[in-house]
Amino acid sequence: MGTVRYPSYRDSGLPWVPEIPEGWQVLRNGRLFAHRVQTGFPDLPILEVSLRTGVRVRDMENLKRKQVMSQKEKYKRAAKGDIAYNMMRMWQGALGAAPVDGLVSPAYVVASPFPEVNSAYFSYLFRTAAYMREVNKFSRGIVSDRNRLYWDEFKQMPSLLPPRVEQDQIVAYLRVQDAHIARFIKAKRDLISLLNEQKLRIIDHAVMRGLDTSVALKPSGIEWLGDIPEHWDISRLGSCIKTSRAGIWGSEPSERNLADQLICVRVADFDMERLAVDIGKLTVRAVTPSDRSGRLLCPGDILLEKSGGGDKTPVGRVVAFTLDEASVCSNFVARLVPNTQIVRPAFLLTLMNHLHARRIVIPYIKQTTGIQNLDSMAYFKLGVALPSLDEQDKIVYALEEQCKSLNDAINRAKDEIKLIHEYRDRLIADIVTGQIDVRDWVPGPDDVVAEEDLAALGGDEDIEADGGEDDGEE
């Protein structure tokens, strides 16, 4: 379907969408929704929200989502079709229409639609970039990152109201486009998984057998390793580490360039594509001189994720620290100083990420109240095989060369996913604001929508499970 404009437009009076189709209205949300505040329904399912796909029933079997629900009677009921939004994160898209009757955190506002409202249309509208900027203007709080959009402000916000039949048509069209886009994304993610598995097989052989396929082997006596080159040494993971020290909590994030401020590297700052710290995400915290003593990070250190995680991303990931600025790590991270007498930092980084990728780390993880904690003392007793330092250098170099084409293909697929997400965001914004007319669209035989397909639009990284009052540390 080509891009078609409506026959005529009028001024909307809104800076974020200057013109709207004739026949559309601009009404405040209080004219479109009623405030639902109902508690005391502990038997209803718990709902969670994806920043891209809206509200869904939480999978309570997923360890990453598993939490102790000790006060479910205080959770708010959201009836099927209600809009539920997180007061603190609506500006990021933490909202959606409830697919069934369910419960949301007390940190959520529940808006019940009036009959002229298709809440799915507003779920699309409210997640557009322009509308989320308006949310920031109407939110209030002591500091900007603690701003909340309360019902009293939400109901004053102006929104667009197409005729109900047009709302329904827009939702039907966008759901079909979402299904096509989701299938594209799933295909790209499947390709990425295959490429990553191919990389793992290459790394498997390198860290367990070396580069020479003709070398004689000997039993390692270690279950996960099997036979190893006869000239390699058996060691313990802990022997490869000269120093291991936990991070610190520090203060709330604050401004840089103050005397007591230090960069505090968090798990959220791990760039697992480069196995390094993502300098674009770093925060700064006040750290006292006594706390920073012996904790300053040095280039060559390895940072270990020791707490957090989930069933799909267990703790135990490691990245290299390469920054020159004075830094510490958060209390969910441990600083490891490699024992360079027996191991190169780059080889240790490769080895430990291999242990994580092959889930060899799993038996050393303890689960408490939804948080994973790595039993470092037990984990460091794990047996490993080490070639000479020179052979380690050769292995690291060879892996860089052998994996380069695979990494390039993975990055291309990720770029394509990013581009299709950007296309989707632009398409939604144009259609829900009336810049594209889809009233004459008729679904074709391939325009099939399956809920399981739509799940591919989001990912674990964009789930806001409980809407709690955390500070986002990890």
Side-chain angles (χ1 to χ4, degrees):
M1 182 182 128
T3 299
V4 179
R5 296 267 290 169
Y6 278 77
S8 59
Y9 289 81
R10 67 178 182 86
D11 290 341
S12 70
L14 302 174
W16 53 277
V17 52
E19 60 176 17
I20 58 175
E22 292 284 355
W24 288 33
Q25 296 177 270
V26 175
L27 295 177
R28 298 193 183 280
N29 287 334
R31 298 272 304 278
L32 305 171
F33 297 91
H35 191 195
R36 187 190 298 278
V37 185
Q38 295 178 339
T39 57
F41 294 84
D43 295 331
L44 291 177
I46 300 293
L47 304 177
E48 65 185 5
V49 64
S50 159
L51 303 187
R52 287 193 180 275
T53 61
V55 172
R56 66 195 190 191
V57 176
R58 185 187 301 182
D59 179 5
M60 296 305 292
E61 297 305 313
N62 184 330
L63 293 178
K64 193 173 183 180
R65 310 282 170 241
K66 192 172 291 184
Q67 295 180 346
V68 177
M69 314 303 296
S70 59
Q71 295 182 312
K72 282 182 68 175
E73 69 277 0
K74 293 184 178 180
Y75 273 51
K76 296 179 182 177
R77 173 178 175 252
K80 181 179 180 180
D82 285 355
I83 291 283
Y85 74 82
N86 182 335
M87 285 189 289
M88 290 180 62
R89 297 192 67 193
M90 184 170 173
W91 65 274
Q92 291 178 295
L95 66 107
V100 297
D101 280 16
L103 298 179
V104 294
S105 159
Y108 277 70
V109 169
V110 179
S112 179
F114 292 145
E116 66 270 27
V117 168
N118 183 328
S119 56
Y121 164 81
F122 285 89
S123 182
Y124 280 117
L125 176 68
F126 291 162
R127 287 204 303 273
T128 61
Y131 200 94
M132 288 190 287
R133 286 193 293 269
E134 294 300 301
V135 167
N136 266 334
K137 296 177 185 177
F138 281 80
S139 299
R140 56 188 172 90
I142 299 174
V143 293
S144 59
D145 65 351
R146 291 290 182 176
N147 279 350
R148 295 168 175 81
L149 182 67
Y150 296 98
W151 167 258
D152 285 344
E153 281 67 42
F154 170 78
K155 72 179 182 181
Q156 296 299 324
M157 293 186 65
S159 292
L160 308 183
L161 181 69
R164 175 61 194 251
V165 66
E166 289 186 41
Q167 294 177 51
D168 297 344
Q169 177 78 343
I170 286 170
V171 169
Y173 177 83
L174 288 177
R175 279 177 57 81
V176 164
Q177 303 314 308
D178 276 351
H180 290 307
I181 291 169
R183 287 190 284 270
F184 174 88
I185 291 172
K186 183 180 183 302
K188 293 299 176 181
R189 286 182 177 155
D190 289 345
L191 173 62
I192 290 170
S193 294
L194 289 172
L195 294 170
N196 275 323
E197 186 60 33
Q198 190 173 344
K199 271 179 59 179
L200 275 178
R201 287 196 295 269
I202 293 172
I203 296 170
D204 276 346
H205 195 279
V207 301
M208 297 168 68
R209 300 288 187 273
L211 304 175
D212 185 355
T213 57
S214 65
V215 69
L217 302 178
K218 67 180 179 182
S220 69
I222 299 169
E223 182 178 356
W224 77 271
L225 270 174
D227 294 342
I228 62 171
E230 64 179 2
H231 64 286
W232 285 23
D233 294 326
I234 299 295
S235 186
R236 298 288 181 187
L237 183 58
S239 300
C240 300
I241 298 161
K242 185 165 61 175
T243 304
S244 172
R245 186 154 190 184
I248 57 175
W249 182 254
S251 69
E252 289 292 308
S254 52
E255 297 296 326
R256 292 192 185 209
N257 302 322
L258 299 178
D260 62 345
Q261 304 306 297
L262 289 179
I263 292 171
C264 187
V265 181
R266 308 160 301 155
V267 171
D269 303 326
F270 283 18
D271 180 345
M272 297 312 300
E273 290 183 19
R274 298 187 307 113
L275 299 184
V277 173
D278 185 344
I279 60 175
K281 296 182 179 180
L282 297 174
T283 56
V284 182
R285 294 177 181 269
V287 181
T288 64
S290 60
D291 283 339
R292 72 178 68 177
S293 177
R295 297 180 186 269
L296 289 178
L297 304 175
C298 299
D301 288 349
I302 290 177
L303 303 183
L304 168 68
E305 176 193 24
K306 68 181 186 66
S307 297
D311 68 329
K312 292 184 180 178
T313 54
V315 295
R317 298 181 301 167
V318 289
V319 297
F321 179 78
T322 58
L323 304 179
D324 291 328
E325 295 184 70
S327 308
V328 292
C329 54
S330 84
N331 65 330
F332 277 28
V333 178
R335 174 201 181 198
L336 308 181
V337 179
N339 179 1
T340 54
Q341 291 185 335
I342 64 170
V343 68
R344 301 291 195 207
F347 185 84
L348 180 59
L349 185 72
T350 301
L351 174 61
M352 293 187 70
N353 266 310
H354 173 261
L355 297 174
H356 178 269
R358 284 304 188 201
R359 303 177 77 85
I360 296 164
V361 68
I362 295 292
Y364 306 95
I365 294 174
K366 297 178 179 179
Q367 185 87 24
T368 56
T369 62
I371 297 294
Q372 294 182 2
N373 293 288
L374 181 64
D375 184 348
S376 301
M377 291 186 64
Y379 185 45
F380 289 164
K381 293 177 182 177
L382 179 68
V384 296
L386 295 178
S388 68
L389 295 178
D390 286 345
E391 191 172 352
Q392 291 176 37
D393 290 336
K394 292 176 182 177
I395 289 172
V396 169
Y397 177 78
L399 286 176
E400 289 177 356
E401 293 298 308
Q402 293 174 27
C403 294
K404 184 179 185 306
S405 61
L406 295 172
N407 287 330
D408 289 344
I410 289 169
N411 289 332
R412 282 195 300 271
K414 288 181 177 178
D415 287 342
E416 290 171 343
I417 291 174
K418 180 181 178 182
L419 288 172
I420 199 69
H421 273 309
E422 291 173 356
Y423 165 79
R424 175 181 182 259
D425 291 344
R426 182 69 266 166
L427 180 69
I428 290 172
D430 285 342
I431 290 175
V432 298
T433 59
Q435 309 312 300
I436 296 177
D437 185 353
V438 297
R439 289 176 297 176
D440 293 334
W441 169 78
V442 177
D446 296 330
D447 292 336
V448 178
V449 179
E451 292 298 330
E452 57 269 24
D453 289 342
L454 296 177
L457 291 170
D460 285 344
E461 72 282 358
D462 76 352
I463 300 299
E464 170 65 26
D466 61 7
E469 299 290 312
D470 63 79
D471 72 348
E473 163 62 15
E474 304 299 336

